[in-house]
Amino acid sequence: MQDKADISFHVPSIGEEEIAEVVDTLRSGWLTTGRRTEQFEREFREYVGAPHALAVNSCTAALHLALISLGIGSGDEVITTPLTFCATVNAILHVGATPVLADIGPDGNLDVRSVEERITRRTRAILPVHFAGLPCRMDAIWDLARRYGLQVIEDAAHAAGATYDGRRIGASGDGGPESDAVAFSFYATKNITTGEGGMVTTPRADIAQRMRILCLHGISADAWKRYSVKGNWKYSVVECGWKYNLSDIQSAIGIHQLRKLDSFTQAKTALARRYSERLCRLDEVETPAEFARGTHAWHLYCIRLRTELLSIDRDEFILELREYGIGASVHFIPIPLHPAYAGICSLSADLCPRAMEMYPRLVTLPLYPSMTESQADRVIDAVEMILTRHRSHSRVRVSSIAV
Ligand SMILES: *Cc1c(COP(=O)(O)O)cnc(C)c1O
């Protein structure tokens, strides 16, 4: 083991195409939002099949703009998941609304029955996260939203490239069921990256227009012309907005990443199957579910340890993986465990016992497009060795009684 190179938790796949496009951009004399960002938006729109796409500098910004543009603010409640990155909840808090946690199901996604239980007269929207790249049961969420008159904003930070009922996550405007806005992340470890970046798609022209204005200080939409050769120095600020635009340097990377997205997903899907095939034979491991109604984007490969069968805990397991030179992580520390949210009763652990129970068993193994089969096998071998070494004695007794 020692003589082999470490296996990092994540390695971005940046090719010569991305590098050449960035260099061209740097030489072009136009660095900020311009023609490459326009191209990235157009190609992203075409890829997911949505009428409108706005490139922004993060998924957090995309969520923030979507919530504001949909008129969600003080006094409103937004139902979301505890098994997410803090950005999801922060975006809701930043518009002055109240995030309310529903619990998750065994697949790590929002449990729709729990969402329905959380609906009050103040509820305005549901904000599901496609955990690890596994699409949520959107049919049930859309149905709830329709019955209670709620808006739906998808946090698709993990889901670029995933499909649901034959349509890509983010698709809209084709007559099918749809969300009001869908936010994507191009953070360094996500399915595709621009270093930092994001995109928001929407079927609604009014929302698209409002987000476009708010993403650049609230400068009136026609001022966007100033980014072209015929640009004018004159503009007016029609609303107090933010500085959330994506630069052409970042879009230069994104254009080529997007063209590779399907091949990235394919490579990760093959590796995920390789992991599951062997890991599902271990009693101490629960492997992630595949998805019958669509395709998983495999942003993350998350296993759950049956720690009751082990003499070590999850943290010790991750430390031992590190001794084998393997990087692992945990997705996510549930929202109620962060000190910043301690005083907010709608974010309390009581609302999500299943997420709290799952957390100490979660481990995310390395998964990225350039990972080789033999690297995946080394990860599996290490998991097997660690688990074999730490099978708890109580388990041996139990199984011998069973025999
Ligand atoms: C990464 C992530 C975000 C935030 O993405 P940024 O582009 O870094 O703002 C939001 N939600 C989830 C679930 C994420 O994993």
Side-chain angles (χ1 to χ4, degrees), residues 12 46 59 121 157 221 233 275 287 315 317:
E46 285 162 6
C59 178
R121 288 182 49 224
W233 58 269
Y275 270 151
T287 52
D315 296 5
F317 175 84

Side-chain angles (χ1 to χ4, degrees), residues 8 15 29 48 84 110 202 228 230-231 275 281 297 344 364 384 386:
S8 312
V48 301
T84 187
L110 270 178
T202 177
S228 74
K230 291 176 200 133
Y275 270 151
R281 293 182 212 146
I344 305 171
T364 312
E384 257 175 16
I386 297 166

Side-chain angles (χ1 to χ4, degrees), residues 57-61 63 83-88 129-130 155-158 184-187 189-190 196-198 299-300 331-332:
N57 59 13
S58 72
C59 178
T60 311
L63 290 168
L83 201 62
T84 187
F85 187 55
C86 58
T88 316
V129 174
H130 304 291
D155 179 338
H158 302 182
F184 296 88
S185 175
F186 309 135
Y187 177 70
T189 60
K190 297 284 160 73
E196 297 279 358
H299 166 50
L300 301 170
H331 294 84
F332 287 93

Side-chain angles (χ1 to χ4, degrees), residues 153-334:
I153 300 144
E154 294 172 50
D155 179 338
H158 302 182
T163 62
Y164 182 80
D165 278 353
R167 298 153 80 219
R168 290 204 195 279
I169 293 294
S172 60
D174 56 1
E178 61 196 20
S179 297
D180 296 278
V182 183
F184 296 88
S185 175
F186 309 135
Y187 177 70
T189 60
K190 297 284 160 73
N191 298 342
I192 57 172
T193 186
T194 58
E196 297 279 358
M199 188 80 75
V200 51
T201 64
T202 177
R204 296 174 52 177
D206 57 333
I207 297 304
Q209 165 92 341
R210 181 107 195 276
M211 291 195 294
R212 198 171 282 284
I213 292 171
L214 288 177
C215 114
L216 202 68
H217 299 298
I219 293 172
S220 64
D222 45 335
W224 275 79
K225 286 193 216 102
R226 74 203 181 94
Y227 280 128
S228 74
V229 214
K230 291 176 200 133
N232 194 322
W233 58 269
K234 253 188 187 170
Y235 61 86
S236 46
V237 178
V238 294
E239 206 174 341
C240 172
W242 286 267
K243 185 65 169 72
Y244 282 163
N245 58 306
L246 192 73
S247 76
D248 265 21
I249 303 172
Q250 292 162 304
S251 295
I253 308 171
I255 289 163
H256 294 281
Q257 288 276 294
L258 181 60
R259 291 178 189 163
K260 299 174 184 178
L261 174 53
D262 287 344
S263 68
F264 288 168
T265 309
Q266 265 172 30
K268 289 185 292 177
T269 303
L271 291 164
R273 294 208 169 120
R274 195 175 185 90
Y275 270 151
S276 288
E277 224 164 77
R278 274 181 62 196
L279 293 176
C280 76
R281 293 182 212 146
L282 300 168
D283 287 343
E284 299 84 2
V285 172
E286 291 167 18
T287 52
E290 290 254 0
F291 191 52
R293 283 186 69 162
T295 52
H296 201 308
W298 291 113
H299 166 50
L300 301 170
Y301 187 88
C302 304
I303 58 168
R304 283 164 301 200
L305 296 176
R306 295 184 60 198
T307 42
E308 69 277 15
L309 304 180
L310 294 168
S311 59
I312 53 168
D313 65 16
R314 184 268 319 276
D315 296 5
E316 290 164 321
F317 175 84
I318 289 178
L319 285 176
E320 292 211 17
L321 270 179
R322 194 181 293 168
E323 280 166 30
Y324 284 94
I326 293 162
S329 190
V330 174
H331 294 84
F332 287 93
I333 301 166

